[in-house]
Amino acid sequence: MKRVFNFIGGEFRSPCSGKFLEDVNPATGEAIAEIADSDRADVDAAVSAASRAFPSWRRTPAEQRSGLLMRLADLVEENFDELASLESEDCGKPIALARRIDVPRAVRNFRFFATAILHAETKCHPLDDRALNYTLRQPLGVAGLISPWNLPLYLLTWKIAPAVAAGNSCVAKPSELTPLTANRLAELVREAEIPPGVINVVQGRGPSAGRALTSHPGVPLISFTGGTRTGADVMALAGPLFKKVSLELGGKNPNIVFADADLEEAVAGSIPSSFANQGEICLCGSRIFVERAVYAEFLERFLDRTKRLAVGDPQDPATEVGALISGEHLRKVSGYIELAKHEGGEVLCGGGTPADLAERLRGGYFLEPAVVVGLDAGCRVMQEEIFGPVVTVTPFDSPEDAIAAANGTRYGLSASVWTRDLAKAHRVAAAIESGTVWVNTWLLRDLRVPFGGMKDSGVGREGGFESLDFFTEAKNVCINL
Ligand code: TXE
């Protein structure tokens, strides 16, 4: 079986303990690789390698750093098909989605930050004729980058690219559930001739490798994307060490459809916002609120489309909904469908195993997309992040109702609003407590804009120059005139 090692100081190394974990294909339930089950000793080795690489990397001219990252972007693009296939096999997502979103976005992440550093500017504050204050932005050292399993290559590169473009070295810890594309990326890092130690990858579990990285005294900065509970643990470990921390956590995002919306567009947009990547995207709109006048019509059209989604083999280009990440996660999501019934909801479609799965997919973690109605806004199914293909649809009577319902959870990551009334769109967008509000669209990302969550959805903003700010420290130089 294929073995996945750590990538430390430009070399692939066995974990110090000699232990490996199984990596499972979610579509079949079968092991496809063994991955390094790293611990503190491996993290120490990776941080040492990154610390040794940092002084010369930070002095490497921006144009040269940029050139190396552009070369890496080209290599990701040259290996597009292989990476898309690996991503689909490792996390159960439809290959069409990996081709449309994950791999192109990884290429864009590298190109975006490789070019952004060529245009960086700094501020100068003249203090009358007495002094000039200018801001020097400097890299911090070794960046600790912890990423999840739902968009493995996309989110890993969203952290690596700005961190190293800004002149830091890094230790990345991908999710233990999806190690394969990070491993392939490490091979491409070597092929791109990025100096050894600038980008290191430590594979393994959160409680061992992840915690060791978060608490390592040689790592002044942690960028984390994952579950809200894990984020709290990361903060608790990093806080007393005064690390710079960015947390991108879960969501329970509202998707609000007003009666004056283009209903066809709202329905068409609500399908991917509910079920893309099996609902395993933190930005998915898992709570749909529809103005009562069009509720019945929306629901009918939405149900019709949901029932027609092609659920099955992730490697089939026609598949629209693949397998959930693990058996444990499938049980958790299915548990919420049962809970919805107990809480007084009605499951109008989905929630079962697709009937016509091929023989080799029978051990996979598939779930038909489910639509639930009739729940109260305060119940657990409408409050807790499910992170699967389960969506609630609820009517509302006024913009105030919709805003109150949208804001009535502990989360605040993103929202969608569907309306033709421009003034209403602006008013509602301003009132919703979330880091992003999309109007008449979903998941339309511009890499220049700040990205992150309010409330329990996270701390800090990344995106564009804000990412470069996060991965550097501002120093004020005051020149007495
Ligand atoms: O994520 P974890 P899990 C949500 C979603 C999901 C839940 C749990 O609701 O059901 O989180 O998912 C590493 N110290 N999201 O358990 O555990 C871990 O190895 C340091 C939303 O898979 O948060 C992995 O690399 N690191 C989310 C990463 O953290 C730790 C995407 C994320 O894993 C650690 C994924 C620790 N104590 C899940 N424990 C989003 N915002 O997109 C784990 N890790």
Side-chain angles (χ1 to χ4, degrees):
M1 191 178 302
K2 180 184 172 62
R3 279 201 149 181
V4 173
F5 299 100
N6 292 326
F7 181 65
I8 296 175
E11 288 170 4
F12 288 92
R13 295 195 203 165
S14 269
C16 298
S17 67
K19 290 189 199 153
F20 286 81
L21 298 165
E22 261 193 0
D23 178 34
V24 169
N25 176 348
T28 62
E30 285 164 8
I32 45 174
E34 286 185 328
I35 72 158
D37 184 5
S38 309
D39 58 24
R40 189 166 293 279
D42 304 293
V43 170
D44 282 347
V47 174
S48 298
S51 304
R52 282 195 299 277
F54 175 60
S56 72
W57 182 245
R58 72 175 293 175
R59 284 197 308 273
T60 302
E63 214 169 325
Q64 221 172 309
R65 293 202 304 272
S66 172
L68 286 164
L69 290 175
M70 292 295 267
R71 171 85 188 112
L72 183 55
D74 292 347
L75 286 170
V76 172
E77 206 165 44
E78 283 164 26
N79 291 276
F80 192 102
D81 290 339
E82 184 194 354
L83 284 162
S85 174
L86 274 179
E87 189 88 330
S88 164
E89 187 184 16
D90 212 11
C91 72
K93 73 176 56 192
I95 192 158
L97 189 73
R99 298 182 65 89
R100 200 170 60 245
I101 292 193
D102 297 71
V103 186
R105 174 62 189 270
V107 174
R108 283 172 62 216
N109 285 340
F110 284 120
R111 291 204 175 126
F112 181 89
F113 289 106
T115 49
I117 53 170
L118 303 178
H119 305 277
E121 292 174 350
T122 194
K123 281 186 184 151
C124 180
H125 298 95
L127 181 62
D128 303 321
D129 55 359
R130 291 168 51 205
L132 283 180
N133 289 289
Y134 64 87
T135 307
L136 258 189
R137 296 219 71 105
Q138 297 176 313
L140 281 99
V142 181
L145 312 175
I146 301 178
S147 51
W149 45 262
N150 59 336
L151 300 164
L153 188 64
Y154 170 136
L155 289 171
L156 182 76
T157 54
W158 177 238
K159 296 180 187 305
I160 291 180
V164 302
N168 303 282
S169 54
C170 72
V171 176
K173 203 221 63 77
S175 169
E176 59 274 37
L177 301 176
T178 51
L180 298 186
T181 43
N183 183 57
R184 186 70 186 108
L185 183 73
E187 292 172 354
L188 299 178
V189 164
R190 195 150 77 163
E191 206 177 321
E193 297 181 358
I194 292 176
V198 170
I199 299 174
N200 304 276
V201 180
V202 174
Q203 303 279 0
R205 292 170 299 128
S208 42
R211 291 193 107 223
L213 185 58
T214 307
S215 57
H216 199 293
V219 177
L221 173 154
I222 299 286
S223 170
F224 171 86
T225 301
T228 293
R229 202 175 304 156
T230 316
D233 189 46
V234 168
M235 197 59 141
L237 280 177
L241 297 168
F242 307 110
K243 297 189 182 211
K244 206 170 176 189
V245 177
S246 148
L247 301 175
E248 209 276 273
L249 309 175
K252 189 72 179 174
N253 309 304
N255 178 12
I256 303 172
V257 181
F258 284 100
D260 59 21
D262 179 325
L263 210 58
E264 194 43 40
E265 271 188 20
V267 172
S270 298
I271 290 291
S273 78
S274 303
F275 304 122
N277 207 36
Q278 304 73 245
E280 295 168 327
I281 300 182
C282 52
L283 302 164
C284 276
S286 53
R287 296 180 299 146
I288 305 181
F289 298 100
V290 188
E291 196 161 0
R292 205 172 293 275
V294 294
Y295 176 77
E297 192 182 347
F298 175 92
L299 191 58
E300 190 189 329
R301 291 202 214 174
F302 183 71
L303 275 172
D304 177 55
R305 288 210 186 206
T306 303
K307 287 179 193 161
R308 285 192 280 126
L309 284 169
V311 187
D313 188 354
Q315 295 281 331
D316 179 342
T319 293
E320 293 166 292
V321 178
L324 299 194
I325 187 66
S326 66
E328 190 188 333
H329 192 56
L330 173 63
R331 282 188 289 283
K332 176 186 149 186
V333 176
S334 304
Y336 275 105
I337 295 174
E338 286 311 305
L339 180 64
K341 295 176 196 160
H342 283 114
E343 291 188 318
E346 191 184 347
V347 181
L348 296 183
C349 72
T353 311
D356 50 354
L357 286 175
E359 182 67 33
R360 69 183 185 84
L361 304 177
R362 298 263 161 89
Y365 315 124
F366 294 92
L367 186 69
E368 287 175 318
V371 177
V372 183
V373 296
L375 289 172
D376 291 333
C379 73
R380 281 184 57 202
V381 170
M382 288 195 66
Q383 289 290 320
E384 297 174 15
E385 185 183 42
I386 299 174
F387 220 58
V390 182
V391 73
T392 59
V393 189
T394 315
F396 68 85
D397 293 305
S398 68
E400 291 69 34
D401 283 355
I403 291 164
N407 291 342
T409 76
R410 55 195 277 244
Y411 294 106
L413 190 55
S414 69
S416 284
V417 177
W418 299 86
T419 177
R420 285 189 176 108
D421 180 335
L422 196 56
K424 190 197 287 173
H426 284 293
R427 274 198 310 276
V428 174
I432 290 180
E433 296 161 354
S434 72
T436 297
V437 180
W438 282 292
V439 177
N440 296 330
T441 186
W442 176 72
L443 200 56
L444 185 56
R445 287 277 294 122
D446 179 330
L447 302 195
R448 292 169 301 179
V449 302
F451 180 81
M454 290 184 178
K455 304 198 286 194
D456 288 9
S457 289
V459 175
R461 292 289 177 274
E462 293 184 34
F465 288 110
E466 299 203 40
S467 284
L468 294 177
D469 283 356
F470 175 70
F471 285 107
T472 52
E473 200 68 279
K475 178 189 284 177
N476 169 36
V477 180
C478 176
I479 309 285
N480 185 358
L481 299 176

